Amino acid sequence: MRKKKGFAITMVVLLLMVAALAGCGGGSSSSDGTKELTFMFRGGTDEQKAYKEVIKKFEEEHPGVKVKMVVTAADQYATKLRAAITGNNLPDIFYFAPGDLKAYVNSGVLKDLTPYIEKSKDINLDNIWKYGVDLYRYDGKMAGQGNIYGMPKDVGPFALGYNKTMFEKAGIPVPDKDKPYTWDEFIKVSQELTKDTNGDGKPDQYGTGFNVQWALQAFVWSNGADWLDASKTKVAIDDPKFAEALQFFADMQNKYKITPGIEQSQTLDTYQRWMKGEMAFFPVGPWDMSTFEKLPFEYDLMPYPVGSTGKPATWIGSLGIGVSSKTKYPDEAVELVNYLTTSKEGMKQLVDAKVQIPNLLDMADEWVKDTKTKPSNKQEFIDIVNDYGRALPGNYTYNAEWYDIFFTDIQPVLDGKVTAADYVKQEQPKMQKLLDKAVEQEKKSQK
Amino acid sequence: MITKSNLYRKEKIYGYLFILPPILGLLIFTLFPFVYSLYGSFTDWDGLGQMNFIGFDNFRDLFTDELFYKSMYNTLFLMLGIPIGLVLALLLALGLNRKIPGTTTFRVIYYIPVISSLAAVSIMWNWAYNGDYGLVNQFLELFGIKGPNWLMDKDTVKPALILMTVWKGLGYTMLLYLAALQSVSRSYYEAAELDGASGFQMFRNITWPMVKPVTFFLVVTNIIGGSQIFTEMNIMTPTGGPEYSSASIVFYIWDKAFKNLQMGYASAMAMILGIFIFIVTLIQFKMNEKSSFDGD
């Protein structure tokens, strides 16, 4: 009997400790009445610096509120956030990817911000990118409509940049910002700019060097194809238009030789080659503006080359800032979210730091007019948001496993060992199986 | 009599109090997560919301999961580094066990990778393996060989990882062998020498049996560690390598659990991995039991 009692006591102690551990996290309040909020985010060094400044200003304007910042490297962020959710240790305010919206709402992680936003006099939703806000709306069935569970930190149009100095040196007219290249024209110009400049028999200057995971979309979409059909439940890559775009992408390296070869094609390389001025075309995101400010050459933005639709395409990234449903200080937390996403003061600091485009429409209008700072064609960013940008396919589904595997398996196509037509045929059923699983998971999480 | 038993009881309480912290630690950080994960493996838990019991569905799905087999195969393939590492380390230890000048310096050199952080080492090798400007290919170029882009090619990514893990573990293995070698009494060798034994005979009949416990220890710990390899590929091939050819089983578990909201499924895999490690270790202990000390 005694032994059993001892065991029971041990178990009680254990449970209490587990309960105590589970209870930590979220906002805490110190004895002097200061309200402490935890803000978890990610970003490059310039972004971190900018956000720290903005938070400092927020604290000055809101005495009695202290913000504790937790920042991680970009590639570790998602894991850390999931671990915090699983461990019941969520920060009050945090970034989240739009693709995770449904899962987080269904499981009660995110607070519904709608009542706070409607109540607030400072927020005018008509003055923020509709695309951005809609990314964080969810009515329990469909994303894109219903209540708001997060505010867009920004919208990130992934534009195409070109090295203006290189064009001028080669005596080639710079790309027209209103009339995109066709694929053929793009190849022709790129071939002219792929050169051996030091005479060692190997090219040291290339037309371009795209990372397949982030640039293939532009070619596929512009050719009238997509990863998913309209219902978002069927993988649609087994479409000749899709294969054509993928083949073109692979041919840039294997057939037209306008990119570094297989053995040189790591992402890091192409990014650095662009920075060193050895590449004519390279994608530019708004988050790169502060880094590209210091480039040793002039660069500007242009539309992506167009496929059979005749219309350029690319994606717009975004990160939402959400509030934990368990926060102790919802009012202050929402206040901070608004400060970071919709307030004039906060937004101005972030835009001046060149880490993003303005969230506010009237501010964006002003910003575009400034053609003196790099890149001068800022209108391209705005055009992408207003006109030809889209969300990444993985955003529409409960998880992006089916989409990720497309890129995991793609190397043989890029190396020219497998044709795009064969690849899409072989890959479609594999991806469909994973997508079916994600759809099923989503249904389960809704009840 | 009563007082004595009271005293005894008090001592007993103190005794329990003293062992309480490690036991609580074991319960909270090992047993509790284990039981939780065991339960999780029978549910469709996504890591966020409710856990619904679904019986053996996860395990059934596992047997038809191509990537599960692939990552299992990759993990086993990477273990080829274990025998290579053991042989190299033993040879090194034999060399450094001699009384020649400079051995201390070499011991330190071989031990440096062991104390370096695995993440830093992975990043360093990541650069070394770069197809364009990497050290490895620049070295090969000296001999006129054009090296591949090691981590981007599914045929070379696993050998590349093996090379790195062997390099990283060499110092530790060598140190243990060195300690074992130094504890072998000189008198055995002297006796063998008198009997006219050759160097190889001495190694086979004296050195090898004498370091056997160390070999056994290393094989067991290396296989357990090798089954759980993760950091290297997470840093060097963050998407699992070309066609998932460098993803280990732990990498796949992590991918499912934290990237794709399938904590239950990942738990099922973790259970299989745990059972696998348990069985392999059991076999090794059985084999060791049979063969050890048969020379005595």
Side-chain angles (χ1 to χ4, degrees), chain A residues 210-268:
Chain A
F210 291 123
N211 175 291
V212 65
Q213 194 163 5
W214 305 112
L216 179 61
Q217 298 85 356
F219 297 91
V220 168
W221 290 338
S222 173
N223 209 34
D226 205 343
W227 272 259
L228 288 173
D229 73 345
S231 73
K232 312 291 181 214
T233 56
K234 199 181 162 296
V235 176
I237 63 165
D238 50 347
D239 167 353
K241 291 270 167 213
F242 192 105
E244 190 185 8
L246 177 57
Q247 194 60 56
F248 175 78
F249 191 93
D251 285 348
M252 283 196 269
Q253 176 175 295
N254 301 316
K255 194 164 149 196
Y256 305 116
K257 315 243 181 257
I258 57 167
T259 71
I262 302 165
E263 62 277 3
Q264 300 133 339
S265 60
Q266 283 177 334
T267 345
L268 184 73

Side-chain angles (χ1 to χ4, degrees), chain B:
Chain B
M1 280 300 138
I2 291 165
T3 47
K4 195 181 170 192
S5 110
N6 267 349
L7 199 76
Y8 180 65
R9 190 186 289 164
K10 211 170 174 188
E11 236 173 42
K12 219 163 127 185
I13 290 172
Y14 280 131
Y16 278 125
L17 275 178
F18 274 113
I19 59 166
L20 191 64
I23 287 184
L24 269 183
L26 181 79
L27 286 172
I28 294 173
F29 297 112
T30 307
L31 195 66
F32 177 72
F34 173 75
V35 173
Y36 205 69
S37 165
L38 179 66
Y39 178 69
S41 68
F42 294 105
T43 69
D44 63 357
W45 194 34
D46 59 5
L48 307 167
Q50 273 182 324
M51 296 166 105
N52 302 312
F53 191 80
I54 53 166
F56 283 94
D57 279 9
N58 285 332
F59 294 93
R60 207 168 319 153
D61 288 352
L62 263 181
F63 285 106
T64 56
D65 185 345
E66 203 186 308
L67 289 183
F68 172 69
Y69 288 114
K70 203 165 193 173
S71 50
M72 216 39 167
Y73 167 76
N74 291 341
T75 311
L76 292 175
F77 193 99
L78 291 177
M79 285 193 199
L80 283 179
I82 297 173
I84 300 172
L86 288 183
V87 171
L88 283 179
L90 183 55
L91 288 177
L92 270 179
L94 286 170
L96 294 180
N97 195 28
R98 290 162 185 245
K99 288 191 177 56
I100 44 171
T103 48
T104 328
T105 320
F106 278 106
R107 284 177 201 173
V108 170
I109 289 176
Y110 286 115
Y111 203 70
I112 284 176
V114 181
I115 52 166
S116 324
S117 126
L118 189 51
V121 162
S122 302
I123 291 171
M124 190 190 85
W125 278 89
N126 210 356
W127 290 335
Y129 280 137
N130 186 294
D132 193 7
Y133 52 77
L135 195 67
V136 176
N137 280 0
Q138 282 186 14
F139 176 74
L140 288 177
E141 223 161 85
L142 293 181
F143 305 96
I145 304 169
K146 194 164 163 38
N149 194 347
W150 294 90
L151 301 175
M152 299 292 278
D153 188 325
K154 71 173 180 198
D155 296 325
T156 53
V157 64
K158 280 196 279 275
L161 282 170
I162 289 177
L163 181 64
M164 182 213 146
T165 48
V166 166
W167 173 86
K168 166 92 174 133
L170 205 56
Y172 173 73
T173 314
M174 180 206 69
L175 196 76
L176 286 187
Y177 268 134
L178 205 54
L181 287 177
Q182 284 174 349
S183 68
V184 181
S185 167
R186 293 281 334 146
S187 57
Y188 294 144
Y189 294 106
E190 281 157 14
E193 222 165 19
L194 284 178
D195 288 343
S198 70
F200 179 69
Q201 280 172 325
M202 280 196 263
F203 173 77
R204 221 192 79 162
N205 296 311
I206 302 170
T207 317
W208 182 242
M210 291 303 279
V211 300
K212 204 169 170 197
V214 171
T215 309
F216 172 68
F217 169 78
L218 284 168
V219 169
V220 172
T221 51
N222 277 345
I223 288 185
I224 294 175
S227 322
Q228 299 172 344
I229 185 168
F230 172 72
T231 314
E232 293 89 333
M233 55 262 321
N234 188 30
I235 293 173
M236 293 168 76
T237 55
T239 55
E243 297 170 71
Y244 228 58
S245 54
S246 66
S248 69
I249 184 72
V250 175
F251 184 91
Y252 190 41
I253 291 174
W254 169 80
D255 198 63
K256 281 282 180 189
F258 290 105
K259 269 174 80 187
N260 294 306
L261 302 165
Q262 293 166 35
M263 197 62 98
Y265 191 71
S267 297
M269 267 193 278
M271 287 299 136
I272 299 276
L273 176 64
I275 293 167
F276 169 79
I277 293 177
F278 181 73
I279 291 174
V280 170
T281 311
L282 204 68
I283 292 172
Q284 286 170 327
F285 269 92
K286 283 276 175 233
M287 274 167 55
N288 190 53
E289 232 168 52
K290 250 191 232 155
S291 65
S292 68
F293 302 116
D294 53 2
D296 278 352

